[in-house]
Amino acid sequence: MEVIIRPDADAAAELVARLIVKELSANPHLVLGLATGRTMESVFSKLVRIHRETKLDFSLCSTFNLDEYVGLAPDDPRSYRHYMNERLFRQVNVDPRNTHLPNGQASDLDAECRNYEAAIAKFGGIDLQLLGIGQAGHIGFNEPLSALRSRTRVKALTPTTIKQNAPFFGSEDRVPRRAMTMGVGTILDARRCLLLATGSEKAYIIAKAVEGPITAMISATALQLHPRCTVVVDDAAAGQLQGAEYYRWIFENEPEWSEFRAAGA
Ligand code: GLP
């Protein structure tokens, strides 16, 4: 795992956007794993800006989102499908047929989850998986006790997650109780993982995820097992990291990061 600390949320999102651009430019057929949530909004708006300014080409790439609420129609403004259509898919030249999210209204949810795994495999697996982190340490909707080898399935949401996502629904009692999510094992199969967290409210869980022991209680800790995982945080989210000084030194001195040092500066 490598940890990159940027001065603020905007610079952290800029770095993540530039890493995605670099991968997409090197491989136009990139299979991109996507995440939702407030943190990602800024990454998507930066990708849209870069697409407009540089003609960054999404036409050959395909996407797989981490998760979707059970019971929400794709055109429901609170669904992740709607979020993705509005914030990214309609604003760049990705082929809509190559964008994938689990169908929250599938009549057979287990079959839908199996089909989602099969679709990822058919596209050759995920090259780059973008990740946020919930305040309880989940990636996707892999709530506490998610098996570290789990695959796409239905998960019941914890009270913490329901509370965290309530602003999108108006109140906690309107948040769906279940979601379909890629499993921890599905995420670990991605060739590269890229996690973004910003703000002081993520500082505690980032320290646990990056420097704490691996545990199914905090699914993000499983990323420590991944051979190529980059965690990008701002100063606020880095506030409780023991090794912050070392991580900053790596970013400032290692040649592989030289082209990114000015990102968002
Ligand atoms: C939801 C999503 C997660 C996301 C998390 C963080 O729970 N299912 O994939 O990482 O929100 O959201 P935010 O960026 O709003 O803190």
Side-chain angles (χ1 to χ4, degrees):
M1 197 181 251
E2 51 195 356
V3 180
I4 306 297
I5 304 172
R6 303 305 289 136
D8 55 41
D10 190 68
E14 183 73 27
L15 178 60
V16 167
R18 290 199 195 188
L19 282 164
I20 296 169
V21 170
K22 188 177 179 194
E23 298 259 349
L24 183 56
S25 305
N27 173 15
H29 292 271
L30 193 75
V31 180
L32 183 57
L34 292 169
T36 49
R38 274 162 295 224
T39 316
M40 293 304 151
E41 290 174 10
S42 160
V43 174
F44 296 143
S45 70
K46 287 172 187 300
L47 287 177
V48 169
R49 186 202 73 217
I50 295 168
H51 167 71
R52 287 185 186 146
E53 285 173 4
T54 70
K55 304 268 182 295
L56 174 68
D57 185 18
F58 288 82
S59 66
L60 299 174
C61 98
S62 33
T63 68
F64 285 90
N65 266 77
L66 284 167
D67 44 18
E68 179 60 284
Y69 291 107
V70 168
L72 297 191
D75 58 354
D76 187 312
R78 302 157 307 174
S79 72
Y80 284 161
R81 164 53 83 175
H82 186 271
Y83 171 112
M84 289 309 309
N85 285 345
E86 294 300 306
R87 290 185 166 79
L88 186 67
F89 299 155
R90 286 204 182 117
Q91 310 219 41
V92 297
N93 66 333
V94 66
D95 183 340
R97 290 168 303 184
N98 288 338
T99 66
H100 305 85
L101 285 92
N103 174 7
Q105 286 201 315
S107 54
D108 183 339
L109 295 173
D110 290 339
E112 173 67 11
C113 292
R114 283 194 302 276
N115 292 341
Y116 202 64
E117 287 281 336
I120 293 170
K122 195 174 145 219
F123 277 73
I126 292 168
D127 293 309
L128 175 65
Q129 178 65 57
L130 188 58
L131 297 162
I133 186 169
Q135 275 168 32
H138 67 214
I139 45 177
F141 272 129
N142 289 289
E143 301 286 41
L145 295 188
S146 288
L148 300 183
R149 297 179 69 179
S150 51
R151 311 305 302 188
T152 303
R153 71 222 182 285
V154 176
K155 281 299 284 182
L157 305 184
T158 59
T160 311
T161 301
I162 290 170
K163 195 170 180 174
Q164 194 192 326
N165 290 316
F168 291 103
F169 291 85
S171 67
E172 281 180 38
D173 52 331
R174 292 195 194 143
V175 181
R177 264 36 191 175
R178 296 186 302 154
M180 273 177 282
T181 179
M182 281 186 201
V184 182
T186 320
I187 294 166
L188 291 180
D189 280 351
R191 285 182 268 281
R192 183 173 189 185
C193 288
L194 181 56
L195 185 147
L196 172 65
T198 57
S200 57
E201 63 281 6
K202 297 279 173 76
Y204 172 79
I205 203 65
I206 278 294
K208 291 269 182 199
V210 172
E211 296 175 337
I214 296 173
T215 167
M217 282 299 287
I218 301 172
S219 59
T221 61
L223 295 170
Q224 294 173 30
L225 296 167
H226 196 283
R228 199 161 176 229
C229 176
T230 305
V231 174
V232 180
V233 289
D234 64 354
D235 271 340
Q240 295 187 37
L241 287 170
Q242 304 283 319
E245 199 183 323
Y246 170 62
Y247 313 143
R248 284 184 216 278
W249 189 92
I250 301 243
F251 183 71
E252 291 305 331
N253 293 282
E254 289 299 301
E256 68 164 303
W257 293 109
S258 60
E259 68 191 279
F260 294 103
R261 282 181 204 130

